[in-house]
Amino acid sequence: RLEAPPPIEYRDIPEPRVFFMGALHGWVDTELIAYLATRRPQYSFVIVGPIADNIERPENHNIHYLGKKRYSELPAYLQHARVAIIPFKVNKLTVSVTPLKFFEYLASGVPVVTTVMPDIIDVPGSIMANSCEEFLEAVDMYVNMEPLSYEREADKARMSAEGYFWSEMLDRLLSALLSDGCDLGQSLNLHVVYSEFARFASHPVIIDDLMCMAVRLEEFEEAVRLGMGLLE
């Protein structure tokens, strides 16, 4: 549901547009951006935000660096993109963050493709990729999706964003804390969370979390197995 006219710069940037907003800093996987742009020359990769001095930005004819924008301008750039991306490196820093841009993307009704971040696994309206190849496949899926299916994904994205309003999150937490016989492990359905995380167990930083959950679930043999895997 477009609410703002397209930015003037978009006149010279053809669709489909793949959008990233934020600082191009050390935690951004520039090699992944280069991989995507090289393999999909027919897509336009739009990057809005500052670039750190020590970053060697990827260059390709279809990568468009638009620099800093006022916060109030961002919805127009986002709403006229086909896919939004969060191409972060997977390391101890990035798996411990929940990027605000993810929820801003969703609120604009733009489907999102991300690298692995535990806090946003399996959020409707988004796809989490475990490799460069999976990331590209997910972008392709959203770009080539039929209009009705795409609008359904956009609706899922908006609905997901609503569930992450501060008031909604606080209400759920307080409800768990104030309930009789409070057990956050049960309230959070740890078995389900464990299954979701297990799909990304190729990353050592995810295995750390899985080990903690296995202990919490009293699955001690599984915790030891995961630990031995890390040692190897």
Side-chain angles (χ1 to χ4, degrees), residues 89-108:
K89 296 175 182 177
V90 181
N91 55 38
K92 288 186 177 180
L93 169 66
T94 58
V95 299
S96 64
V97 302
T98 308
L100 182 60
K101 66 172 59 63
F102 176 71
F103 305 106
E104 293 170 336
Y105 288 164
L106 294 175
S108 293

Side-chain angles (χ1 to χ4, degrees), residues 2 10 13-20 42-46 75-85 105-106 108-113 125-126 138-154 157-158:
L2 302 180
Y10 274 9
I13 301 177
E15 297 179 332
R17 303 182 189 101
V18 180
F19 183 84
F20 173 78
Q42 70 274 32
Y43 298 173
S44 296
F45 294 84
V46 178
Y77 287 89
L78 180 53
Q79 290 168 359
H80 292 274
R82 180 72 174 185
V83 187
I85 60 172
Y105 288 164
L106 294 175
S108 293
V110 179
V112 187
V113 181
S126 71
V139 171
D140 283 343
M141 190 194 79
Y142 283 135
V143 167
N144 298 313
M145 194 171 277
E146 295 294 326
L148 185 58
S149 297
Y150 183 86
E151 188 54 38
R152 289 197 190 103
E153 283 297 305
R158 296 185 191 98

Side-chain angles (χ1 to χ4, degrees), residues 9-78:
E9 292 144 303
Y10 274 9
R11 294 176 183 174
D12 300 319
I13 301 177
E15 297 179 332
R17 303 182 189 101
V18 180
F19 183 84
F20 173 78
M21 66 183 187
L24 208 64
H25 220 292
W27 52 79
V28 177
D29 192 340
T30 54
E31 291 184 3
L32 174 55
I33 294 174
Y35 172 89
L36 298 170
T38 301
R39 281 158 180 75
R40 291 297 179 269
Q42 70 274 32
Y43 298 173
S44 296
F45 294 84
V46 178
I47 298 176
V48 169
I51 301 173
D53 293 336
N54 61 339
I55 295 297
E56 184 175 344
R57 71 182 197 181
E59 299 287 354
N60 212 48
H61 76 278
N62 58 338
I63 303 178
H64 305 270
Y65 296 97
L66 304 186
K68 294 181 181 179
K69 302 297 176 186
R70 291 192 301 273
Y71 195 80
S72 60
E73 296 178 286
L74 293 177
Y77 287 89
L78 180 53

